[in-house]
């Protein structure tokens, strides 16, 4: 047995004011981002990060330079993250005006019995719901900011008359959006939505029928690719529309072609969303994490090459959200990749019978029904046990998230699939490793100076730069939050 012997410290030794990764010093965890020259160092609690040359890592961890500059602002970063995670209030409602759908998609999170034989919400009941919500938001939303109502589903245009009557009646009271499969959108309907400034989301899972129709079919088994293309044509040039592609094992090999297709059709933005594995049908077509990353990242790179070649961006919004959140946590536009997620605190889902759920993913799961809009106070439902299961889900309580440096860039989505697929809210979602690769790719883009090409124009409007290494005396490079 041997023992290391160190010389005794002199009484003249000048101890540093703090030490990194111990005591009251900042926590800066090195992260290999797969870049030739740079590593990331991250404070997992505050989501502060910096990119440092590999050869400078030791100096950073000794508490000089970057670490010393960050330490003076660490408390403010943590306060900002705490406010984002626990201080936001309700600002949106996903309204399901019907339980029914004219499609039988393989991965749908709404149970089949509801989609086949479910109920519509009457126009009278829908108007009453929006009136109740108007009163709630009027007391709580900042003046000049409109709450958002997103008509979701199932397929909201199966109840088009009620939806359009509500949009007309409350125009200027809410910001409206409609997420539709596109098969029922005609010229008159498209014109109405555009004239009222409503956001319109379409769904298409492949650039050609033989791919798209594998997972998205009518109840009779017929594909709908051509119908969605007609809807895209009706919305061409409208900046308020986007297209969602749900990524499964059935279309993974077509993601790059999908990006080319969306760009050629001049879609302003698109989402390449990994399939939500809440119900068994989705799990049957779930791609593996590694194969998903191998297809997803080249598709992102293709969107960039198209931008350089044409000068026109196709923003892949779900990835742009991760990238924006790395730069500035409050700049994120989607609330799935934060912990707790936005479900049950920033938004909730309203069923046709008035039932309130933390998110549409939980519709059909009775244990997550928090109450009824027509009989229960909204705040009481938000505080209910059903909602608290979701709003109380934190990465600090999930293994391995509690040890993960990037936990606040990922958020371990999704609570519904964690509960249904993994067996509990203290479990990870379906794509842990994939989200890790997505974050590493985002950091590589930042290191190479390409990140802005993947973001929305004006993405940082309303944000404040609290720390920029390029402007700190004696520092250089990238370090922001």
């Amino acid at each position: 047995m041997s023992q290391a012997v160190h010389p005794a410290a002199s009484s003249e030794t000048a101890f540093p004011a703090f030490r990194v990764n111990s005591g009251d010093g900042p926590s800066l965890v090195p992260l290999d981002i797969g870049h030739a020259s740079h590593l990331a160092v991250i404070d997992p609690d505050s989501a502060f990060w910096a990119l440092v040359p590999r050869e400078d890592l030791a100096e950073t961890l000794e508490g000089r330079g970057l670490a010393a500059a960050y330490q003076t602002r660490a408390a403010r970063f943590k306060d900002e993250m705490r406010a984002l995670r626990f201080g936001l209030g309700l600002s949106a409602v996903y309204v399901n005006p019907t339980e029914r759908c004219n499609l039988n998609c393989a991965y749908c999170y709404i149970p089949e019995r509801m989609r086949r034989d479910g109920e519509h919400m009457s126009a009278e009941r829908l108007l009453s719901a929006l009136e109740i919500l108007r009163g709630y938001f009027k007391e709580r939303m900042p003046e000049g900011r409109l709450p958002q109502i997103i008509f979701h589903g199932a397929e909201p245009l199966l109840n088009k008359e009620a939806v359009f009557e509500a949009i007309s009646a409350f125009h200027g009271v809410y910001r409206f959006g409609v997420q539709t499969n596109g098969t029922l959108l005609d010229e008159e309907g498209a014109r109405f939505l555009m004239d009222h400034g409503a956001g319109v989301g379409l769904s298409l899972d492949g650039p050609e029928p033989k791919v798209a129709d594998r997972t998205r079919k009518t109840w009779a088994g017929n594909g709908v690719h051509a119908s969605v293309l007609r809807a895209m044509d009706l919305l061409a040039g409208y900046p308020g529309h986007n297209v969602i592609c749900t990524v499964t094992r059935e279309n993974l090999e077509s993601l790059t072609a999908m990006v080319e297709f969306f760009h050629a059709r001049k879609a302003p933005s698109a989402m390449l969303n990994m399939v939500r594995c809440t119900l068994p049908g989705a799990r049957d077509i779930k791609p593996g994490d590694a194969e998903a990353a191998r297809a997803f990242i080249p598709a992102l790179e293709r969107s960039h090459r198209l931008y350089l070649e044409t000068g026109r961006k196709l923003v892949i919004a779900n990835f742009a959200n991760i990238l924006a959140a790395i730069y500035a946590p409050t700049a994120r536009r989607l609330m799935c990749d934060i912990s707790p997620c936005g479900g049950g605190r920033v938004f909730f889902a309203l069923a046709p019978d008035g039932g309130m759920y933390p998110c549409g993913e939980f519709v059909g799961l009775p244990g997550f029904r928090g109450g009824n809009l027509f009989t229960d106070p909204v705040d009481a439902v938000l505080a209910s046990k059903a909602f608290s299961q979701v709003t109380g889900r934190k990465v600090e309580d999930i293994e391995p998230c509690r040890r993960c440096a990037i936990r606040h860039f990922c958020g371990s989505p999704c609570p519904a699939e964690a509960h249904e697929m993994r067996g509990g809210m203290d479990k990870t979602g379906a794509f842990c490793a994939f989200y890790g690769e997505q974050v590493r790719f985002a950091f590589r883009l930042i290191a190479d100076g390409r990140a802005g090409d993947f973001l929305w124009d004006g993405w940082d409007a309303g944000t404040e730069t609290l720390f920029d290494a390029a402007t700190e005396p004696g520092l250089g490079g990238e370090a922001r939050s």
Side-chain angles (χ1 to χ4, degrees):
M1 179 178 178
S2 63
Q3 182 176 348
V5 178
H6 302 281
S10 164
S11 60
E12 302 299 320
T13 299
F15 287 97
F18 65 86
R19 294 190 186 277
V20 173
N21 295 334
S22 64
D24 292 329
S27 174
L28 293 175
V29 179
L31 178 73
D32 185 355
I33 61 173
H35 193 271
S37 61
H38 284 74
L39 296 164
V41 290
I42 302 170
D43 182 342
D45 289 334
S46 69
F48 172 84
W49 59 271
L51 295 178
V52 298
R54 290 176 178 270
E55 64 270 19
D56 293 347
L57 179 62
E59 179 180 334
T60 299
L61 297 182
E62 287 170 1
R64 289 178 278 160
L66 173 75
Y70 167 56
Q71 180 71 347
T72 65
R73 299 170 177 81
R76 188 171 178 188
F77 282 113
K78 290 178 180 178
D79 286 345
E80 180 189 56
M81 181 55 66
R82 192 177 302 111
L84 176 66
R85 297 180 67 199
F86 306 110
L88 299 181
L90 191 71
S91 61
V93 179
Y94 286 83
V95 177
N96 288 16
T98 181
E99 293 177 326
R100 300 178 209 164
C101 190
N102 58 330
L103 302 188
N104 185 29
C105 299
Y107 49 73
C108 189
Y109 53 84
I110 297 177
E112 180 177 329
R113 58 177 173 76
M114 295 172 65
R115 289 182 285 119
R116 272 189 182 276
D117 305 311
E119 66 175 282
H120 281 345
M121 180 184 277
S122 69
E124 180 182 10
R125 199 167 178 80
L126 179 54
L127 294 172
S128 176
L130 296 192
E131 188 59 45
I132 292 170
L133 291 170
R134 170 159 57 180
Y136 179 85
F137 285 123
K138 185 176 181 180
E139 296 179 0
R140 293 163 177 82
M141 291 284 286
E143 187 175 351
R145 183 182 173 196
L146 297 182
Q148 191 169 17
I149 298 293
I150 306 99
F151 291 110
H152 217 264
E155 175 46 51
L157 293 187
L158 279 173
N159 198 7
K160 182 176 74 171
E161 290 75 15
V163 169
F164 283 14
E165 184 175 344
I167 291 175
S168 293
F170 289 90
H171 183 60
V173 176
Y174 298 105
R175 292 184 297 123
F176 284 105
V178 178
Q179 180 61 45
T180 171
N181 60 40
T183 61
L184 302 175
L185 188 65
D186 56 20
E187 185 173 356
E188 181 183 4
R191 176 48 53 195
F192 174 88
L193 293 172
M194 291 188 286
D195 287 346
H196 286 78
V200 184
L202 302 174
S203 297
L204 186 68
D205 287 356
E208 52 189 346
K210 70 177 183 180
V211 177
D213 295 344
R214 291 171 186 166
T215 52
R216 300 184 65 82
K217 301 177 182 179
T218 67
W219 291 99
N222 300 318
V224 296
H225 185 269
S227 298
V228 181
L229 295 196
R230 285 194 293 271
M232 291 183 71
D233 289 339
L234 292 173
L235 296 167
Y238 180 52
H241 88 282
N242 66 80
V243 191
I244 294 176
C245 171
T246 298
V247 179
T248 69
R249 201 171 58 237
E250 299 294 335
N251 64 357
L252 200 62
E253 79 283 358
S254 299
L255 289 194
T256 295
M258 193 81 247
V259 164
E260 294 172 342
F261 182 82
F262 286 154
H263 189 273
R265 298 188 73 90
K266 300 185 179 180
S269 67
M271 289 195 278
L272 305 179
N273 288 341
M274 292 296 131
V275 62
R276 285 284 187 241
C277 296
T278 306
L279 294 185
R283 295 169 217 160
D284 291 342
I285 52 176
K286 174 191 178 296
D289 287 53
E291 61 180 335
R294 284 194 293 268
F296 185 80
I297 290 173
L300 294 176
E301 289 283 19
R302 182 57 180 150
S303 75
H304 186 242
R305 288 195 297 274
L306 289 169
Y307 171 54
L308 296 180
E309 292 167 6
T310 68
R312 180 166 47 83
K313 283 185 183 180
L314 170 67
V315 175
I316 306 302
N318 53 308
F319 174 72
N321 200 64
I322 296 283
L323 191 51
I326 291 173
Y327 270 124
T330 57
R332 52 172 40 93
R333 297 186 181 185
L334 307 171
M335 293 297 288
C336 291
D337 48 29
I338 186 67
S339 158
C341 72
R345 63 186 188 97
V346 178
F347 58 82
F348 69 84
L350 181 67
D353 66 352
M356 298 167 65
Y357 298 83
C359 169
E361 289 283 335
F362 292 97
V363 173
L365 302 177
F368 292 92
R369 184 183 174 102
N372 191 292
L373 181 67
F374 299 111
T375 59
D376 302 311
V378 172
D379 283 332
V381 177
L382 296 179
S384 68
K385 180 180 178 180
F387 275 48
S388 296
Q389 294 178 77
V390 178
T391 60
R393 181 180 184 263
K394 306 188 301 294
V395 284
E396 291 88 345
D397 301 326
I398 302 170
E399 183 67 32
C401 305
R402 63 168 62 96
R403 299 181 283 107
C404 183
I406 62 171
R407 58 179 179 253
H408 288 321
F409 304 135
C410 160
S412 191
C414 152
E417 63 184 9
H419 188 273
E420 295 299 301
M421 178 183 179
R422 305 292 193 199
M425 288 296 183
D426 61 345
K427 309 297 183 183
T428 62
F431 290 98
C432 177
F434 168 78
Y435 285 114
E437 290 308 309
Q438 191 176 200
V439 170
R440 286 177 172 84
F441 178 66
F443 274 121
R444 293 198 295 273
L445 293 179
I446 295 170
D448 291 337
R450 297 195 292 147
D453 292 351
F454 292 78
L455 288 163
W456 304 277
D457 293 335
W459 69 271
D460 56 349
T463 64
E464 176 187 3
T465 298
L466 301 183
F467 188 100
D468 187 341
T471 64
E472 291 290 319
L475 298 181
E478 288 280 357
R480 293 193 181 115
S481 187

